[in-house]
Amino acid sequence: MNNSETEQIGSKVCVIGAGAIGLVATKNLLEQGLNVTTFERHEWIGGTWHVSDNGEQTTALDQTKFNTSRHASAFSDFPFPSELPTHPHAKDIQRYLESYANHFGLLSHICFSTAVDHVERDEANNKWLVYTKDQQTMTEKCHSFDRVVVATGILNVKRTPQVRGIEKFAGEVMHSREFKDPVKYEGKNVIVVGVGASGADSTSFLVKAKANKVYLSHRAQFFLVSKKTSKVSKDINMLTTRNQLPRTSKGKAFDHSITRRAGAMMRLFLSTFPRLCGALMSKGLISMRKKEFPWLSNHSSFNSPRIMDGFLHRIPFFSDDMAENLRENRIETVLGIEKIAGPKSVVLTDGRVLEDIDVIIFCCGYQYDFSVIRGVGDPTDTAAAPDRYKEIEATKFYNPDDKFARLYKGFISEQYPESLAFLGHMLILKPPLLLYDLASMALASVWSGSYPIESPEERRKDIDIQYRYVVDTLKRGKVQHLGFRVISTATYDWLNQAAGTGLTERLAFCTWQSWKLWWNDSKLYYMLMDGFDSPAAYRLFDTGRGRKPWPGARAQIEHINAELEALGEKWKREQEEEKRKNKNKGD
């Protein structure tokens, strides 16, 4: 579809969901002249970051912290307040999103307490029919829109394993979605099933809430990285975004040292040699764990029968205290659950029986739900796939519940690129809030006509690259999220070019514009390339099209670099003071 065809489509856009992704999509689409209506089923904005005790809602807990720093995770033209901690808590993020919506006047475009039941294609009129239900009056309506953005995020449908005899269990069984108040489990014996981000957080919260016994049930090994700084840890920090990684090192967050130059090299390395890079990542993480925690070499979590399935098959996660909890035996790791033998008896795969269990919490993640689109437009529709998904279904580790979505650049409909997009499914090595700020800038540029839509052949080629990667990886092990683009250089470059950020042109290797920037303003050039990779850089240059530049971008970039330098100096002073105290004690 070319630009002239895009311009024939109207500007009336429906955004489904007013979480963080839906908010930034609403803002960026409005910014480029589109007429946006956003439907939100709750009475508030914020999605996952709105703390709630409703077990039907996927939300953070009060204790939940951002995995990435506020400096790296902010929207491009709206920094987090400087008085917040480096890793804000859930309520800090909720207030940030509310401030963002108020600052950019988004609330008047949001229809609250309005759930979207489904969306259908009206081919005759070149429209999308959006069917909604008012959550207060239960009134149902059908709305007609020119374009639709599904922004319901990645935490949609719970993954809950089928456990033989679960009906015999007399205690409490829940998914991590329902785990809202750790204090309720003081004195209880709890099994947490699954070692990932939610599993690590849940065990930590239970230990702090003084649960009597916390078991962590997992079948595979995971990566455990020291908070201490070493050469290996510096390398790892350049290669990863979220199995256990340290949030801080030498007074700074791990992402404070990831420069734009390092990020570009990492994307290129991963895109060119994904298997080699994955193997090196796995080797580096294991080497670090053996060096920093030699006593863990004999720990059951890191030995047979558990296997190490590698970086490409296991999404890394952060934990502040998993290492300490394992060291002090505050958490006992056990193998997978085979069956439930009685009201409070759980049989493990090695035959061991755990007695007097009060609670089982399944921390097995979620899967993206595309079912809101009924009929044509569903990117997981077998009929729309060239091979009818026969290749992926034939792989050893294929999971029929995880459907491959044929989405251009990971978020734009292959069939209807001019009018249908899904935000939240695609991931690359960038903080999610910033990534979807950039992605929705690009989408707004395409839909407003300021950037062309590629040909059907180009769209298919892009999707097939991701499909072949997923198929190849599933032959060797599980893929925890099919939308994670390990091969991401082309995607990231396209996002910038479509959004009109000017970064890829001005900071690419040996281009005329990069030489010009270096010659005219070498201080800025080196700050962008080798300083902190600031979100404000995406609003720095005025390219005359696409997203709007932010007049405060350069000042924000300089401010953050100065702030982070001060954090490093503060840490050095504290270390020197600690050394003096220890020396005086010795004397």
Side-chain angles (χ1 to χ4, degrees):
M1 173 125 351
N2 58 38
N3 254 16
S4 62
E5 288 175 305
T6 302
E7 291 167 358
Q8 293 172 6
I9 298 175
S11 63
K12 191 176 177 184
V13 182
C14 165
V15 174
I16 303 175
I21 294 174
L23 289 174
V24 74
T26 300
K27 183 262 187 187
N28 284 330
L29 290 163
L30 287 168
E31 182 180 80
Q32 296 201 42
L34 293 155
N35 179 14
V36 183
T37 299
T38 300
F39 292 118
E40 170 52 54
R41 63 192 177 108
H42 299 123
E43 298 176 358
W44 54 77
I45 61 174
T48 300
W49 295 108
H50 182 93
V51 176
S52 169
D53 57 6
N54 186 341
E56 294 303 310
Q57 299 170 22
T58 304
T59 64
L61 277 67
D62 283 324
Q63 303 94 320
T64 306
K65 292 193 293 187
F66 238 7
N67 283 325
T68 46
S69 70
R70 63 174 171 84
H71 309 90
S73 303
F75 293 130
S76 56
D77 52 358
F78 197 76
F80 274 93
S82 57
E83 65 269 17
L84 292 182
T86 298
H87 297 96
H89 285 80
K91 289 190 175 179
D92 296 325
I93 300 165
Q94 169 67 16
R95 285 190 286 268
Y96 170 77
L97 294 174
E98 290 170 349
S99 297
Y100 180 81
N102 285 318
H103 180 79
F104 290 107
L106 305 182
L107 296 179
S108 62
H109 296 272
I110 301 173
C111 297
F112 290 98
S113 299
T114 306
V116 174
D117 181 73
H118 68 280
V119 178
E120 294 179 358
R121 180 67 179 167
D122 179 5
E123 204 71 73
N125 296 301
N126 201 23
K127 303 285 186 181
W128 293 96
L129 303 179
V130 179
Y131 293 84
T132 64
K133 177 183 284 190
D134 188 298
Q135 297 298 281
Q136 296 178 344
T137 65
M138 294 295 109
T139 303
E140 298 180 358
K141 289 185 180 180
C142 176
H143 312 260
S144 179
F145 286 92
D146 302 304
R147 311 170 196 263
V148 171
V149 177
V150 180
T152 50
I154 197 172
L155 306 179
N156 296 146
V157 178
K158 299 181 294 185
R159 284 184 176 144
T160 304
Q162 299 297 313
V163 176
R164 186 155 51 103
I166 194 70
E167 70 281 356
K168 300 176 184 177
F169 190 67
E172 193 174 356
V173 179
M174 69 182 78
H175 187 273
S176 56
R177 175 189 283 180
E178 290 93 46
F179 180 60
K180 300 293 185 180
D181 184 8
V183 175
K184 288 172 54 178
Y185 305 101
E186 180 179 357
K188 303 285 188 180
N189 297 324
V190 186
I191 301 179
V192 174
V193 181
V195 59
S198 59
D201 281 350
S202 296
T203 56
S204 174
F205 299 157
L206 287 165
V207 168
K208 292 175 182 176
K210 300 180 180 179
N212 181 60
K213 185 71 176 180
V214 179
Y215 297 99
L216 176 59
S217 170
H218 64 104
R219 297 172 185 263
Q221 297 180 34
F222 57 95
F223 301 115
L224 186 62
V225 181
S226 170
K227 291 187 177 181
K228 299 176 182 178
T229 302
S230 67
K231 182 181 184 299
V232 179
S233 68
K234 291 177 182 177
D235 294 339
I236 294 299
N237 284 347
M238 288 202 305
L239 299 176
T240 59
T241 59
R242 295 182 22 154
N243 261 318
Q244 177 176 342
L245 298 176
R247 280 193 174 95
T248 59
S249 176
K250 290 190 174 182
K252 296 182 182 180
F254 90 99
D255 52 23
H256 289 165
S257 61
I258 301 178
T259 65
R260 176 169 293 275
R261 192 187 303 275
M265 292 173 65
M266 190 62 251
R267 282 190 297 274
L268 179 61
F269 188 27
L270 275 168
S271 298
T272 309
F273 308 107
R275 290 181 66 175
L276 175 60
C277 189
L280 291 175
M281 278 295 307
S282 299
K283 185 176 180 179
L285 287 163
I286 293 169
S287 174
M288 182 187 295
R289 187 254 299 165
K290 288 182 177 179
K291 179 179 179 181
E292 304 294 351
F293 300 114
W295 54 273
L296 277 181
S297 295
N298 296 321
H299 195 280
S300 60
S301 290
F302 304 98
N303 287 282
S304 178
R306 293 184 174 96
I307 62 168
M308 173 57 75
D309 44 15
F311 177 74
L312 297 181
H313 308 283
R314 179 163 295 275
I315 296 177
F317 65 87
F318 288 106
S319 176
D320 285 335
D321 47 22
M322 176 70 81
E324 290 77 8
N325 285 334
L326 289 174
R327 181 196 296 273
E328 302 302 325
N329 294 317
R330 293 188 285 258
I331 298 170
E332 181 180 346
T333 59
V334 298
L335 291 176
I337 296 177
E338 178 69 25
K339 64 179 181 179
I340 305 300
K344 287 197 171 186
S345 299
V346 177
V347 180
L348 304 176
T349 55
D350 61 353
R352 181 183 174 187
V353 179
L354 302 181
E355 301 285 3
D356 199 27
I357 301 301
D358 300 299
V359 185
I360 301 174
I361 304 174
F362 290 109
C363 297
C364 303
Y366 301 82
Q367 59 196 47
Y368 198 100
D369 183 16
F370 294 96
S371 64
V372 70
I373 304 295
R374 293 188 184 174
V376 295
D378 179 354
T380 66
D381 183 10
T382 303
D387 71 337
R388 301 297 191 267
Y389 291 135
K390 290 181 180 178
E391 282 191 69
I392 196 169
E393 290 174 0
T395 60
K396 181 178 181 179
F397 292 93
Y398 171 70
N399 180 355
D401 292 330
D402 281 340
K403 300 182 183 298
F404 183 86
R406 293 191 62 82
L407 294 170
Y408 179 60
K409 300 304 179 187
F411 67 101
I412 297 176
S413 170
E414 181 181 23
Q415 298 170 284
Y416 299 95
E418 73 289 348
S419 63
L420 180 61
F422 300 81
L423 300 180
H425 181 65
M426 180 267 289
L427 295 174
I428 62 174
L429 295 181
K430 281 288 178 183
L433 265 63
L434 179 59
L435 171 61
Y436 278 98
D437 190 357
L438 179 60
S440 57
M441 291 182 215
L443 181 66
S445 294
V446 170
W447 282 5
S448 65
S450 72
Y451 194 80
I453 295 175
E454 279 70 7
S455 67
E457 294 75 22
E458 287 298 314
R459 299 198 297 272
R460 177 171 175 171
K461 180 181 177 182
D462 169 80
I463 296 168
D464 285 349
I465 289 172
Q466 176 68 5
Y467 183 61
R468 285 194 297 271
Y469 164 77
V470 170
V471 167
D472 180 65
T473 308
L474 281 172
K475 292 175 181 177
R476 302 185 309 276
K478 295 180 180 180
V479 175
Q480 293 198 346
H481 181 58
L482 304 190
F484 178 49
R485 290 200 156 202
V486 171
I487 302 174
S488 61
T489 294
T491 299
Y492 180 73
D493 290 348
W494 182 89
L495 291 173
N496 279 277
Q497 291 158 9
T501 67
L503 287 175
T504 51
E505 299 88 345
R506 289 166 176 81
L507 299 177
F509 180 69
C510 285
T511 64
W512 177 81
Q513 290 193 57
S514 67
W515 281 111
K516 183 179 178 182
L517 177 61
W518 175 80
W519 182 263
N520 292 331
D521 197 340
S522 59
K523 179 183 177 182
L524 177 61
Y525 177 85
Y526 286 118
M527 189 180 296
L528 291 172
M529 289 297 292
D530 301 314
F532 173 68
D533 191 7
S534 172
Y538 296 95
R539 297 277 179 176
L540 178 60
F541 300 111
D542 187 351
T543 61
R545 67 166 185 84
R547 93 290 178 262
K548 292 181 180 178
W550 176 36
R554 177 159 185 162
Q556 176 64 13
I557 293 168
E558 292 173 342
H559 169 73
I560 288 185
N561 276 275
E563 181 182 345
L564 299 187
E565 185 177 353
L567 280 176
E569 293 300 321
K570 179 183 177 184
W571 180 85
K572 289 179 182 178
R573 291 194 299 271
E574 290 173 347
Q575 295 303 300
E576 291 298 325
E577 181 63 26
E578 187 68 25
K579 286 180 182 178
R580 284 195 293 270
K581 288 181 180 179
N582 291 336
K583 184 178 180 181
N584 291 336
K585 287 180 181 179
D587 294 340

